[in-house]
Amino acid sequence: MESRSIRQLEDGIERDVAGLNYGSYLDLDTLLSAQRPLSDHHDEMLFIIQHQTTELWLKLIIHELRAAMSFIAADDLGPALKCLARIKHIQTQITNQWSVLATLTPAEYAQFRGSLGKSSGFQSAQYRLLEFLLGNKNKAMVAVFAHDLETQAELEAALNAPSLYDEFIRYLDRAGYAVPAELVERDWSAPYAENPELTKVFLQIYRDPDAHWAVYETCEELVDVEDTFQTWRFRHLKTVERIIGHKTGTGGSSGVGFLQRALDLTFFPELYAVRTEI
């Protein structure tokens, strides 16, 4: 039998990789040493990596979302749409991750759940920041991070600043649309309330998309972002239900019930209300 030849390295491949290289550039020593299970159960590694990778993706979503908001504030919708499109793909990625965690059975999770103590995804500062940036403002949540003053200050700043939707509404006002004045300047820390007059603005846009194409396209990108975010929330709920049923969450929440109520929240209410009017 003829033996297979060993594939030779190409002449141009770097062999001396001291200094900056793949591992040092990505700081893999730090990244890959951050998985420290507190039990000896095999599946705790899955649980840790699932949540750590989600936090990395959340970091990128926040990065893209802040860029989109800056572009909209500068009346530059084109680059903002690129950021929003990327966000949708990231959201799809973290939604698909739930199918990996769903391989964890109730019996397996029960063997290391006690090691988590009071830790819970409810305490994710990045998730809370993302909610604030998208417009789900809740002053009471800031107090949860009193143990971390730097994080708390960042959340306070986002709480008291315009959200993505606020920035878009302000753009519409600058572009000459009949946006209600009370939406252009308001208490940004207060939860957004649906305004029928804004629905009329969107109805004008949706009845003649060609005449308002850039704004129309932005509206649909925002709906896509909310839709994929809600899909992520739903998969989270169903994965939790599959693994722990209706037990109380490790952080003290009602678990599935708490996640179910989150599905009733909407970031861009008029963009859904206008669909009934068309």
Side-chain angles (χ1 to χ4, degrees):
M1 180 181 295
E2 183 179 346
S3 62
R4 295 181 179 178
S5 61
I6 298 175
R7 188 176 67 161
Q8 301 297 316
L9 290 180
E10 295 175 359
D11 291 340
I13 291 178
E14 292 286 350
R15 290 164 173 77
D16 181 2
V17 293
L20 184 65
N21 56 49
Y22 180 79
S24 61
Y25 174 71
L26 296 177
D27 199 7
L28 292 183
D29 286 345
T30 300
L31 184 65
L32 298 180
S33 63
Q35 297 74 46
R36 296 186 291 273
L38 298 178
S39 74
D40 59 0
H41 195 276
H42 172 82
D43 293 312
E44 190 179 353
M45 182 65 77
L46 159 64
F47 191 82
I48 291 171
I49 290 176
Q50 167 84 22
H51 289 82
Q52 286 181 339
T53 51
T54 297
E55 288 291 332
L56 285 172
W57 285 124
L58 289 179
K59 184 171 184 176
L60 185 55
I61 291 176
I62 291 166
H63 176 71
E64 297 294 337
L65 186 55
R66 281 178 160 158
M69 292 167 67
S70 295
F71 285 127
I72 293 171
D75 297 337
D76 197 358
L77 292 185
L81 292 176
K82 173 62 182 293
C83 294
L84 295 177
R86 181 173 290 166
I87 287 170
K88 291 186 301 181
H89 288 293
I90 302 167
Q91 288 174 315
T92 299
Q93 185 76 17
I94 62 175
T95 297
N96 290 338
Q97 282 187 191
W98 289 119
S99 63
V100 182
L101 190 62
T103 64
L104 182 67
T105 69
E108 290 164 347
Y109 183 46
Q111 294 182 59
F112 67 85
R113 190 181 188 223
S115 301
L116 305 182
K118 297 178 181 179
S119 61
S120 165
F122 176 82
Q123 299 152 12
S124 168
Q126 288 200 123
Y127 177 77
R128 195 56 49 197
L129 177 58
L130 176 58
E131 288 262 11
F132 283 7
L133 293 173
L134 287 173
N136 183 20
K137 304 289 186 72
N138 185 340
K139 292 181 181 180
M141 281 304 309
V142 178
V144 175
F145 300 92
H147 63 285
D148 183 343
L149 295 181
E150 184 177 346
T151 294
Q152 190 175 50
E154 185 176 23
L155 289 174
E156 281 277 7
L159 178 71
N160 292 295
S163 68
L164 171 65
Y165 197 42
D166 291 323
E167 290 291 7
F168 183 51
I169 291 171
R170 284 150 66 91
Y171 167 86
L172 293 175
D173 177 69
R174 293 191 301 273
Y177 292 90
V179 174
E182 62 269 24
L183 299 182
V184 179
E185 293 295 338
R186 65 183 188 86
D187 177 4
W188 306 123
S189 69
Y192 181 84
E194 183 177 343
N195 188 307
E197 294 303 310
L198 184 60
T199 303
K200 293 178 183 178
V201 173
F202 287 131
L203 185 58
Q204 171 193 356
I205 293 165
Y206 273 78
R207 280 180 170 164
D208 190 1
D210 290 341
H212 309 274
W213 187 259
V215 171
Y216 174 73
E217 186 178 9
T218 306
C219 291
E220 286 299 285
E221 285 289 341
L222 291 175
V223 172
D224 283 348
V225 167
E226 172 148 350
D227 188 35
T228 48
F229 191 87
Q230 290 287 51
T231 302
W232 180 83
R233 277 176 167 165
F234 179 75
R235 287 292 291 124
H236 184 190
L237 182 155
K238 298 308 292 184
T239 303
V240 170
E241 184 178 41
R242 174 178 179 142
I243 296 174
I244 67 168
H246 290 263
K247 290 187 180 73
T248 300
T250 49
S253 75
S254 57
V256 167
F258 179 81
L259 297 173
Q260 182 71 57
R261 289 191 294 276
L263 290 174
D264 294 330
L265 300 172
T266 181
F267 300 120
F268 319 127
E270 292 86 359
L271 288 177
Y272 285 89
V274 73
R275 283 156 162 73
T276 306
E277 304 298 327
I278 296 171

